[in-house]
Amino acid sequence: MAERIPVIVEEECIACGACEEICPEVFKLNESLGFAMVINPEGGDEACVQEAIDNCPTQCIHWSDEME
Ligand code: SF4
């Protein structure tokens, strides 16, 4: 089980789609809602998630230790 999971601060997301492009197993852009969602927190490896975090233009993806 993953020790940490990515979370998206939806209010800060500009729906650019970069996270989904980089790590589609984990992130999915919800165009009708206007932000991206974590569809499968443990679906990708950490390097992929980290790359998405590093490339998010508003830096609204964070690691969380909390399993929701
Ligand atoms: S990369 Fe960041 S701003 Fe872009 S869709 Fe993903 S969470 Fe939103």
Side-chain angles (χ1 to χ4, degrees), residues 27-44:
F27 302 104
K28 176 113 183 79
L29 183 59
N30 188 320
E31 289 182 41
S32 54
L33 290 176
F35 54 79
M37 300 187 304
V38 179
I39 51 168
N40 188 358
E42 299 175 50

mmCIF file of all heavy atoms in Angstrom, residues 27-44:
data_model
loop_
_atom_site.group_PDB
_atom_site.id
_atom_site.type_symbol
_atom_site.label_atom_id
_atom_site.label_comp_id
_atom_site.label_asym_id
_atom_site.label_seq_id
_atom_site.Cartn_x
_atom_site.Cartn_y
_atom_site.Cartn_z
ATOM 1 N N PHE A 27 -4.306 10.654 -12.575
ATOM 2 C CA PHE A 27 -5.033 11.927 -12.671
ATOM 3 C C PHE A 27 -5.973 11.924 -13.861
ATOM 4 O O PHE A 27 -5.668 11.385 -14.915
ATOM 5 C CB PHE A 27 -4.054 13.096 -12.812
ATOM 6 C CG PHE A 27 -3.083 13.202 -11.687
ATOM 7 C CD1 PHE A 27 -1.772 12.790 -11.853
ATOM 8 C CD2 PHE A 27 -3.472 13.693 -10.455
ATOM 9 C CE1 PHE A 27 -0.852 12.881 -10.813
ATOM 10 C CE2 PHE A 27 -2.573 13.786 -9.406
ATOM 11 C CZ PHE A 27 -1.259 13.379 -9.590
ATOM 12 N N LYS A 28 -7.112 12.552 -13.671
ATOM 13 C CA LYS A 28 -8.057 12.697 -14.774
ATOM 14 C C LYS A 28 -8.653 14.095 -14.734
ATOM 15 O O LYS A 28 -9.119 14.559 -13.706
ATOM 16 C CB LYS A 28 -9.157 11.647 -14.646
ATOM 17 C CG LYS A 28 -10.259 11.760 -15.678
ATOM 18 C CD LYS A 28 -10.233 10.564 -16.625
ATOM 19 C CE LYS A 28 -11.292 10.684 -17.708
ATOM 20 N NZ LYS A 28 -10.907 11.586 -18.806
ATOM 21 N N LEU A 29 -8.602 14.733 -15.886
ATOM 22 C CA LEU A 29 -9.178 16.074 -15.980
ATOM 23 C C LEU A 29 -10.685 15.964 -16.144
ATOM 24 O O LEU A 29 -11.178 15.253 -17.012
ATOM 25 C CB LEU A 29 -8.554 16.795 -17.185
ATOM 26 C CG LEU A 29 -8.986 18.245 -17.417
ATOM 27 C CD1 LEU A 29 -8.647 19.105 -16.205
ATOM 28 C CD2 LEU A 29 -8.302 18.790 -18.666
ATOM 29 N N ASN A 30 -11.400 16.653 -15.279
ATOM 30 C CA ASN A 30 -12.854 16.695 -15.396
ATOM 31 C C ASN A 30 -13.223 18.038 -15.997
ATOM 32 O O ASN A 30 -13.277 19.049 -15.301
ATOM 33 C CB ASN A 30 -13.507 16.501 -14.021
ATOM 34 C CG ASN A 30 -15.011 16.352 -14.139
ATOM 35 O OD1 ASN A 30 -15.664 17.038 -14.923
ATOM 36 N ND2 ASN A 30 -15.565 15.447 -13.363
ATOM 37 N N GLU A 31 -13.436 18.033 -17.303
ATOM 38 C CA GLU A 31 -13.635 19.300 -18.001
ATOM 39 C C GLU A 31 -14.944 19.972 -17.606
ATOM 40 O O GLU A 31 -15.038 21.191 -17.568
ATOM 41 C CB GLU A 31 -13.562 19.080 -19.510
ATOM 42 C CG GLU A 31 -12.136 18.775 -19.948
ATOM 43 C CD GLU A 31 -12.015 18.589 -21.448
ATOM 44 O OE1 GLU A 31 -12.645 19.337 -22.185
ATOM 45 O OE2 GLU A 31 -11.278 17.671 -21.859
ATOM 46 N N SER A 32 -15.961 19.216 -17.306
ATOM 47 C CA SER A 32 -17.232 19.843 -16.951
ATOM 48 C C SER A 32 -17.159 20.508 -15.574
ATOM 49 O O SER A 32 -17.794 21.529 -15.334
ATOM 50 C CB SER A 32 -18.375 18.829 -17.012
ATOM 51 O OG SER A 32 -18.084 17.706 -16.236
ATOM 52 N N LEU A 33 -16.363 19.942 -14.676
ATOM 53 C CA LEU A 33 -16.210 20.557 -13.362
ATOM 54 C C LEU A 33 -15.118 21.617 -13.355
ATOM 55 O O LEU A 33 -15.082 22.482 -12.490
ATOM 56 C CB LEU A 33 -15.885 19.488 -12.305
ATOM 57 C CG LEU A 33 -17.026 18.534 -11.956
ATOM 58 C CD1 LEU A 33 -16.535 17.472 -10.976
ATOM 59 C CD2 LEU A 33 -18.213 19.266 -11.368
ATOM 60 N N GLY A 34 -14.184 21.518 -14.308
ATOM 61 C CA GLY A 34 -13.155 22.542 -14.410
ATOM 62 C C GLY A 34 -11.937 22.310 -13.541
ATOM 63 O O GLY A 34 -11.180 23.222 -13.254
ATOM 64 N N PHE A 35 -11.750 21.086 -13.103
ATOM 65 C CA PHE A 35 -10.509 20.772 -12.394
ATOM 66 C C PHE A 35 -10.178 19.296 -12.574
ATOM 67 O O PHE A 35 -11.010 18.509 -13.032
ATOM 68 C CB PHE A 35 -10.584 21.140 -10.907
ATOM 69 C CG PHE A 35 -11.772 20.546 -10.174
ATOM 70 C CD1 PHE A 35 -11.760 19.231 -9.766
ATOM 71 C CD2 PHE A 35 -12.881 21.342 -9.873
ATOM 72 C CE1 PHE A 35 -12.837 18.691 -9.083
ATOM 73 C CE2 PHE A 35 -13.972 20.816 -9.195
ATOM 74 C CZ PHE A 35 -13.952 19.484 -8.798
ATOM 75 N N ALA A 36 -8.951 18.956 -12.236
ATOM 76 C CA ALA A 36 -8.511 17.566 -12.343
ATOM 77 C C ALA A 36 -8.800 16.836 -11.038
ATOM 78 O O ALA A 36 -8.896 17.446 -9.979
ATOM 79 C CB ALA A 36 -7.018 17.521 -12.660
ATOM 80 N N MET A 37 -8.942 15.517 -11.145
ATOM 81 C CA MET A 37 -9.220 14.718 -9.962
ATOM 82 C C MET A 37 -8.214 13.570 -9.875
ATOM 83 O O MET A 37 -7.670 13.135 -10.881
ATOM 84 C CB MET A 37 -10.629 14.124 -10.041
ATOM 85 C CG MET A 37 -11.699 15.199 -10.141
ATOM 86 S SD MET A 37 -13.364 14.520 -10.040
ATOM 87 C CE MET A 37 -13.341 13.342 -11.370
ATOM 88 N N VAL A 38 -8.007 13.111 -8.661
ATOM 89 C CA VAL A 38 -7.191 11.921 -8.454
ATOM 90 C C VAL A 38 -8.127 10.729 -8.577
ATOM 91 O O VAL A 38 -8.958 10.485 -7.703
ATOM 92 C CB VAL A 38 -6.507 11.950 -7.072
ATOM 93 C CG1 VAL A 38 -5.686 10.686 -6.858
ATOM 94 C CG2 VAL A 38 -5.626 13.182 -6.942
ATOM 95 N N ILE A 39 -8.022 10.009 -9.678
ATOM 96 C CA ILE A 39 -8.959 8.908 -9.900
ATOM 97 C C ILE A 39 -8.469 7.612 -9.272
ATOM 98 O O ILE A 39 -9.254 6.735 -8.949
ATOM 99 C CB ILE A 39 -9.231 8.680 -11.406
ATOM 100 C CG1 ILE A 39 -7.930 8.571 -12.201
ATOM 101 C CG2 ILE A 39 -10.121 9.792 -11.955
ATOM 102 C CD1 ILE A 39 -8.120 8.064 -13.619
ATOM 103 N N ASN A 40 -7.162 7.501 -9.137
ATOM 104 C CA ASN A 40 -6.608 6.268 -8.591
ATOM 105 C C ASN A 40 -5.313 6.600 -7.857
ATOM 106 O O ASN A 40 -4.235 6.566 -8.449
ATOM 107 C CB ASN A 40 -6.363 5.260 -9.724
ATOM 108 C CG ASN A 40 -5.973 3.900 -9.197
ATOM 109 O OD1 ASN A 40 -5.848 3.688 -7.985
ATOM 110 N ND2 ASN A 40 -5.761 2.973 -10.097
ATOM 111 N N PRO A 41 -5.415 6.959 -6.569
ATOM 112 C CA PRO A 41 -4.253 7.475 -5.830
ATOM 113 C C PRO A 41 -3.044 6.552 -5.865
ATOM 114 O O PRO A 41 -1.907 7.013 -5.804
ATOM 115 C CB PRO A 41 -4.770 7.618 -4.399
ATOM 116 C CG PRO A 41 -6.249 7.636 -4.510
ATOM 117 C CD PRO A 41 -6.613 6.876 -5.746
ATOM 118 N N GLU A 42 -3.282 5.257 -5.945
ATOM 119 C CA GLU A 42 -2.164 4.311 -5.916
ATOM 120 C C GLU A 42 -1.936 3.683 -7.277
ATOM 121 O O GLU A 42 -1.288 2.646 -7.395
ATOM 122 C CB GLU A 42 -2.430 3.234 -4.863
ATOM 123 C CG GLU A 42 -2.552 3.822 -3.469
ATOM 124 C CD GLU A 42 -2.927 2.769 -2.437
ATOM 125 O OE1 GLU A 42 -2.265 1.724 -2.398
ATOM 126 O OE2 GLU A 42 -3.896 2.991 -1.695
ATOM 127 N N GLY A 43 -2.473 4.319 -8.324
ATOM 128 C CA GLY A 43 -2.427 3.714 -9.645
ATOM 129 C C GLY A 43 -1.129 3.906 -10.401
ATOM 130 O O GLY A 43 -0.889 3.217 -11.394
ATOM 131 N N GLY A 44 -0.299 4.835 -9.966
ATOM 132 C CA GLY A 44 0.941 5.087 -10.688
ATOM 133 C C GLY A 44 2.122 5.038 -9.748
ATOM 134 O O GLY A 44 1.956 5.051 -8.538
#
